[in-house]
Amino acid sequence: MFADLFLGPRYVLRGFRLIARPGLRRFFLIPLCINIAVFVVLIWLALAHYATLIQWLLPVGDGWWALMARQFLWLLFAVTAAIVMFFSVSLVANLIAAPFNGRLAERVEQMLGSVGARHDVMRASTASGAWTSLVNELRKLVYFLAVLVIMLILTLIPVVNLAAPFMWFVVGCWMLALEYLAYPMENHAMSFVQVRRAARAQRALTLSFGAAVMAATFVPGINFAVMPASVAGATAMWLERGGQRGLQR
């Protein structure tokens, strides 16, 4: 299990190398453009309305306690808002790019020479497959939103909210890993429930992969290519650590 903590980042790096191959470049250009557009729009909206939201949430008054509370809560809300914004960008971009990401996962699997990459089980390139990808993405969105609501409630609970940044980080790593692992697994007609089951079977690997994706997302320039690279890396990871090792489906 300890060794798996170092494997996750290696698969993310491998994903960047995979999408640079001539046979895959054309499959990640559309997700890349979508990621850039969503990122720019949502960041602009956040910057335009963030100050108003913070002033509305923070307590008012001139006492020392109000001043200290504002300073502490400003930092807490800033971290929470940044994380929520990060998830919003990822969820919206992946929702729009779901059909293209499924096709990219299929091509990566074929390029890696998987014996399971047969056209009778791969459905991402068909019209019905695109619809299925969108439906699966909506199911993931419902799951992720439910988790986010629970986390927001915990963030508002006194004392518990002191651990909010750490909890958000762990949950974020988990959700990112599930998001990208779903593409190769759903190409084999596996449900999102089965994706979560497979991820739980190798928690350390799943969390380390998600942490590497999150870290790459905060690197300027690199962050725009994180989505297709994560799809490619997750596909390679599932083939080598999941699909061929007989994890529960």
Side-chain angles (χ1 to χ4, degrees), residues 91 140-152 175:
L91 289 173
K140 283 185 286 185
L141 181 61
V142 171
Y143 170 81
F144 291 156
L145 288 176
V147 173
L148 287 177
V149 169
I150 294 173
M151 290 299 301
L152 287 173
M175 291 168 65

Side-chain angles (χ1 to χ4, degrees), residues 173-190:
C173 295
W174 180 256
M175 291 168 65
L176 282 173
L178 290 181
E179 173 67 40
Y180 293 112
L181 279 171
Y183 291 113
M185 297 176 70
E186 288 173 355
N187 278 344
H188 289 266
M190 298 172 66

Side-chain angles (χ1 to χ4, degrees), residues 15-209:
F16 279 102
R17 293 194 296 268
L18 282 170
I19 62 174
R21 294 186 180 183
L24 291 178
R25 290 174 186 169
R26 63 189 179 94
F27 290 100
F28 84 87
L29 288 177
I30 294 179
L32 177 63
C33 293
I34 291 173
N35 200 25
I36 293 174
V38 172
F39 182 84
V40 171
V41 170
L42 291 183
I43 290 298
W44 177 79
L45 289 174
L47 293 176
H49 301 286
Y50 178 71
T52 302
L53 175 63
I54 289 297
Q55 291 299 323
W56 178 72
L57 290 174
L58 293 181
V60 296
D62 298 325
W64 64 269
W65 66 270
L67 178 61
M68 292 185 62
R70 281 198 296 268
Q71 292 177 343
F72 172 75
L73 291 176
W74 190 93
L75 177 61
L76 178 62
F77 289 142
V79 173
T80 302
I83 296 175
V84 171
M85 185 63 196
F86 166 76
F87 286 127
S88 299
V89 172
S90 299
L91 289 173
V92 174
N94 280 287
L95 178 62
I96 298 174
F100 308 103
N101 287 338
R103 183 73 174 110
L104 174 60
E106 176 185 353
R107 289 292 296 133
V108 170
E109 184 170 349
Q110 292 172 348
M111 178 170 286
L112 293 177
S114 170
V115 296
R118 304 189 315 271
H119 289 289
D120 58 338
V121 296
M122 307 297 282
R123 48 82 180 149
S125 59
T126 64
S128 60
W131 172 253
T132 302
S133 295
L134 183 58
V135 171
N136 286 330
E137 200 66 25
L138 289 173
R139 290 173 179 171
K140 283 185 286 185
L141 181 61
V142 171
Y143 170 81
F144 291 156
L145 288 176
V147 173
L148 287 177
V149 169
I150 294 173
M151 290 299 301
L152 287 173
I153 293 174
L154 292 176
T155 302
L156 298 176
I157 299 177
V159 180
V160 176
N161 57 14
L162 296 177
F166 174 75
M167 293 189 298
W168 276 107
F169 174 75
V170 174
V171 170
C173 295
W174 180 256
M175 291 168 65
L176 282 173
L178 290 181
E179 173 67 40
Y180 293 112
L181 279 171
Y183 291 113
M185 297 176 70
E186 288 173 355
N187 278 344
H188 289 266
M190 298 172 66
S191 68
F192 188 54
V193 173
Q194 292 171 305
V195 174
R196 300 202 305 270
R197 185 185 307 155
R200 286 196 300 268
Q202 298 195 52
R203 287 185 177 88
L205 177 62
T206 301
L207 288 172
S208 66
F209 179 83

